[in-house]
Amino acid sequence: MAKRALRVTAVGVAAQLGGTERVLLDFAARAFEYDIALRVLTPRDGPLVAILNEIGVPAEVVPASGAMLAGSQRAGRLWSAPGALAGLAAWARRLGRHPVVRGAGALYSVGFKPHLALAMLRRHPVVWHLHEYPPATTGAVWRLLGRHGPDAMIDALMYLKAARAVGVRVALEVSRSGIGAHAWVFFT
């Protein structure tokens, strides 16, 4: 019997081509080699969506409100948080109704806002790729969200489990703080 591909939906915060999006592109270009059927959703359009579709990875926009997109973590911009949170909740509901999310075996959040939106759904295992560092003004909130005792390692362990299920060798490195981890995958 043929092995069924693991359906993974990645949800990004941007569709530009920054560092995180380039990592997602690298993963997307090789996912099929490991029986991963990847789909990508973003809150707005940009070059990432076009490139993914060109290489055969379905990508589309699930629009987010301007308030969510404008919500900032930079100093002096905390006034935008209430509107951004309301926009985030609305975007989470739209994501939850999307067939690509509903049919996923696992969700891969690429950033802080997508992770919060997917966590609101409480449906699937969520693998969190946070390629950002907490700013001084909201860093305490980030640290609070990252400290859930044994649950803090769930993201890395779910990633490890999903990778092993499809035959991908992964090494897990626990951070010095003990509240985070890196999963290392080497493609040859």
Side-chain angles (χ1 to χ4, degrees):
M1 176 175 14
K3 185 167 47 169
R4 189 171 148 203
L6 175 64
R7 292 170 299 167
V8 175
T9 298
V11 180
V13 70
Q16 299 307 312
L17 294 178
T20 302
E21 293 78 25
R22 291 185 189 282
V23 170
L24 177 58
L25 276 173
D26 288 343
F27 172 61
R30 293 191 166 98
F32 72 94
E33 295 174 18
Y34 298 94
D35 292 322
I36 296 173
L38 182 66
R39 309 290 187 266
V40 178
L41 302 174
T42 65
R44 60 180 146 199
D45 202 8
L48 177 67
V49 174
I51 292 169
L52 287 165
N53 283 311
E54 284 175 19
I55 65 170
V57 175
E60 60 184 282
V61 175
V62 176
S65 72
M68 188 201 99
L69 295 172
S72 178
Q73 301 154 5
R74 289 174 283 174
R77 303 285 175 106
L78 291 177
W79 56 267
S80 66
L85 289 173
L88 182 69
W91 187 50
R93 287 189 298 276
R94 278 194 288 283
L95 286 169
R97 291 189 299 266
H98 197 285
V100 170
V101 170
R102 293 172 62 90
L107 300 171
Y108 172 34
S109 65
V110 186
F112 189 62
K113 290 177 188 175
H115 185 71
L116 291 177
L118 295 176
M120 289 177 185
L121 300 178
R122 298 182 175 267
R123 285 199 193 138
H124 304 290
V126 177
V127 177
W128 184 3
H129 174 186
L130 184 62
H131 192 91
E132 304 173 53
Y133 295 93
T137 55
T138 57
V141 174
W142 286 46
R143 285 186 288 282
L144 177 68
L145 290 171
R147 293 178 191 261
H148 294 289
D151 293 342
M153 299 304 288
I154 295 298
D155 288 338
L157 294 174
M158 288 305 299
Y159 180 87
L160 188 68
K161 183 178 178 181
R164 287 184 176 165
V166 296
V168 177
R169 292 175 46 195
V170 177
L172 187 64
E173 172 191 19
V174 178
S175 67
R176 280 192 252 166
S177 69
I179 62 168
H182 293 100
W184 296 92
V185 179
F186 297 95
F187 296 96
T188 56

